[in-house]
């Protein structure tokens, strides 16, 4: 509340539905200091479990789509309870009122849906969960809270037309493209809130879109940075680094750049990566660990055909949606106290594209996330800076 995240009008919901009431006995809390997920058992360490359950940290509740068992973290987190500060910032974006009819995409622990039901009223919130086990657990949680939320098992990217129109649609998973079904199922003047980003990185932002009076589009600004697990139907297909760099990095065309590591990478939740993703189509970047004073940053081309998949976390082995794989790659090696070296190969010069995009951002005064916006129509998506009339297609379209 002191930070202005939990507004007074949401306090009653927070007290009625604490996050600890919906978390499983085994959770993996993200230790900010250690930079890793830590398993915590309510049975073995109830006080520690309670501390993490009440803390403003993300809590992983499932790994590897539930295929991973035991206390050790798996390869990829696939469901979680978000940081309370993130949850309430997004709830403020939704602008929910009593009586509003809501569709949520991604039930997970059901915490967010229960908070909305406390505000909108019992029976007004429907949530969709693609994972069968998570949907079953959410139904059990809903029963404990008087069945105030309707839980459906299904692919939320299609929405739920049987319940339309909705006053509000909210996604608790990241998207690389807002399904137009959500626009069609939200009433004119209704609000859609979803974490949105590009293939370039995990550096997403919350899009707050208002459906146009004719119902044929939705548009609005981004409200701030976030990182969310992705909608499962928009997940990437991964390949190995060796599918691009078949020999040595020295096989690429060498050059240099005056950009430094600090200014190029910025802060973790800074706008740099988000903006570069807006300006550089079909490109994934990976920041490697730093060693011996040097940090390599890699860039991989994502071919025309895979753009429709909205890849975000990995690389396509070939064109899974019909297009050929783009073998372009680039690497910039930032080294303390020295000029950064660059190598590039393939039909695209990815570093040149990225560097041009960085200077474009600099030339416009280094705008933050909130100066950018998104417009969604049946034909596709367009992003813009300050003025919706001055827009360009989203990367991958």
């Amino acid at each position: 509340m002191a930070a202005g995240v939990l507004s007074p009008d949401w306090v009653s919901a927070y007290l009625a539905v604490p996050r600890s009431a919906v978390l499983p006995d085994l959770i993996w809390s993200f230790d900010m200091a250690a930079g890793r997920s830590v398993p915590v058992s309510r049975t073995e360490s109830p006080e520690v479990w309670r501390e993490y359950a009440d803390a403003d940290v993300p809590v992983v509740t499932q790994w590897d789509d539930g295929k991973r068992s035991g206390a050790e973290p798996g390869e990829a987190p696939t469901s979680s309870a978000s940081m309370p500060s993130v949850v309430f910032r997004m709830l403020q974006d939704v602008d929910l009122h009593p009586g509003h009819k809501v569709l949520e995409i991604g039930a997970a622990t059901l915490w967010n849906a229960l908070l909305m039901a406390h505000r909108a009223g019992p029976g007004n919130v429907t949530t969709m969960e693609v994972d069968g086990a998570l949907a079953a657990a959410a139904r059990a949680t809903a029963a404990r809270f008087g069945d105030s939320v309707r839980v459906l098992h299904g692919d939320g990217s299609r929405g739920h037309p049987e319940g339309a129109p909705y006053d509000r649609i909210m996604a608790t998973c990241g998207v690389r493209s807002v399904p137009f079904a959500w626009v069609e199922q939200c009433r004119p003047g209704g609000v859609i809130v979803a974490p949105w980003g590009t293939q370039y990185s995990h550096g997403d932002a919350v899009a707050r879109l208002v459906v146009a009076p004719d119902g044929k589009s939705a548009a609005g600004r981004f409200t701030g940075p976030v990182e969310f697990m992705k909608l499962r139907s928009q997940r990437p297909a991964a390949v190995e680094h060796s599918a691009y760099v078949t020999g040595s990095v020295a096989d690429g065309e060498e050059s240099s750049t005056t950009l430094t590591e600090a200014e190029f990478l910025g802060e973790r939740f800074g706008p740099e990566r988000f903006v570069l993703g807006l300006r550089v189509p079909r490109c994934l970047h990976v920041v490697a660990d730093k060693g011996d004073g040097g940090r390599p940053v890699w860039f991989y081309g994502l071919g025309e055909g895979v753009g429709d998949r909205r890849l975000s976390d990995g690389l396509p082995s070939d064109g899974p949606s019909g297009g050929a794989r783009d073998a372009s790659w680039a690497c910039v090696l930032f080294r303390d106290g020295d000029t950064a070296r660059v190598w590039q190969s393939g039909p695209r010069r990815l570093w040149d594209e990225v560097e041009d995009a960085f200077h474009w951002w600099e030339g416009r005064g280094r705008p933050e996330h909130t100066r950018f916006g998104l417009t969604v129509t049946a034909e596709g998506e367009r992003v813009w800076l300050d003025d919706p009339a001055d827009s360009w297609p989203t990367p991958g379209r």
Side-chain angles (χ1 to χ4, degrees):
M1 291 190 71
V5 176
L6 178 59
S7 56
D9 57 323
W10 278 102
V11 171
S12 62
Y14 182 66
L15 294 175
V17 192
R19 187 171 72 160
S20 58
V22 300
L23 294 180
D25 289 341
L26 178 60
I27 61 176
W28 292 265
S29 180
F30 190 76
D31 187 317
M32 297 293 191
R36 59 188 177 88
S37 295
V38 178
V40 183
S41 168
R42 175 160 46 187
T43 304
E44 298 175 3
S45 307
E47 292 183 2
V48 177
W49 186 95
R50 171 68 67 173
E51 180 182 349
Y52 278 121
D54 291 339
D56 191 27
V57 295
V59 173
V60 175
T61 55
Q62 185 197 68
W63 294 89
D64 304 329
D65 295 337
K67 299 180 180 68
R68 177 80 175 188
S69 61
E72 288 303 309
E75 292 185 8
T78 49
S79 190
S80 69
S82 298
M83 297 172 65
S85 58
V86 172
V87 168
F88 284 99
R89 282 192 179 100
M90 290 180 65
L91 287 175
Q92 289 187 31
D93 289 338
V94 170
D95 188 27
L96 190 62
H97 295 275
H100 272 167
K101 194 174 181 180
V102 183
L103 176 65
E104 179 193 56
I105 311 301
T109 64
L110 205 67
W111 189 41
N112 194 74
L114 288 169
L115 290 168
M116 290 194 294
H118 189 273
R119 169 70 68 88
N124 285 327
V125 177
T126 298
T127 183
M128 299 195 68
E129 175 55 60
V130 70
D131 186 295
L134 294 178
R139 286 196 189 100
T141 300
R144 289 196 288 112
F145 283 86
D147 288 317
S148 60
V149 174
R150 184 185 184 194
V151 180
L152 301 178
H153 176 212
D155 182 359
S157 66
R158 301 184 179 93
H160 181 59
E162 294 80 1
Y166 302 97
D167 299 290
R168 301 289 186 265
I169 294 179
M170 182 178 189
T172 60
C173 51
V175 298
R176 290 294 172 260
S177 177
V178 175
F180 193 68
W182 298 357
V183 179
E184 293 176 314
Q185 294 171 32
C186 194
R187 67 166 175 81
V191 175
I192 300 171
V193 171
W196 184 95
T198 66
Q199 304 159 350
Y200 184 80
S201 76
H202 286 297
D204 298 352
V206 176
R208 185 184 190 277
L209 311 176
V210 178
V211 179
D214 62 5
K216 295 182 179 180
S217 66
R221 291 184 181 272
F222 296 100
T223 64
V226 288
E227 289 183 6
F228 268 76
M229 299 169 194
K230 304 304 176 280
L231 186 72
R232 294 194 184 184
S233 61
Q234 295 185 8
R235 278 182 180 173
V239 301
E240 298 297 326
H241 168 83
S242 57
Y244 286 83
V245 185
T246 57
S248 166
V249 67
D251 294 337
E253 176 183 309
E254 184 173 355
S255 60
S256 62
T257 179
T258 58
L259 290 178
T260 66
E261 176 186 349
E263 65 181 335
F264 180 71
L265 296 182
E267 300 294 331
R268 177 175 178 181
F269 291 104
E272 291 88 345
R273 300 180 200 192
F274 178 74
V275 175
L276 294 180
L278 298 180
R279 299 295 298 180
V280 182
R282 301 179 303 281
C283 176
L284 168 72
H285 99 301
V286 176
V287 180
D289 293 335
K290 193 166 187 174
D292 298 324
R295 184 190 298 280
V297 180
W298 292 90
F299 306 86
Y300 305 95
L302 304 175
E304 292 281 354
V306 303
D308 297 335
R309 289 281 303 276
R310 287 295 178 270
L311 308 184
S312 59
D313 303 334
L315 306 172
S317 55
D318 53 23
S321 61
R325 181 174 67 84
D326 179 2
S328 301
W329 61 266
C331 176
V332 55
L333 177 62
F334 295 107
R335 185 167 294 282
D336 295 344
D338 200 357
T339 301
R341 300 171 69 186
V342 177
W343 297 268
Q344 304 181 81
S345 179
R348 295 172 64 185
R349 287 297 179 259
L350 290 176
W351 172 253
D352 293 347
E353 293 182 32
V354 170
E355 189 173 35
D356 286 346
F358 186 89
H359 291 311
W360 176 92
W361 175 65
E362 278 193 318
R364 282 152 182 80
R366 296 174 170 253
E368 296 285 335
H369 303 80
T370 52
R371 284 182 57 189
F372 291 90
L374 177 70
T375 299
V376 181
T377 67
E379 288 71 40
E381 297 176 334
R382 298 185 71 85
V383 290
W384 36 272
L385 172 64
D386 295 329
D387 183 3
D390 183 17
S391 64
W392 62 92
T394 61
R397 283 284 184 180

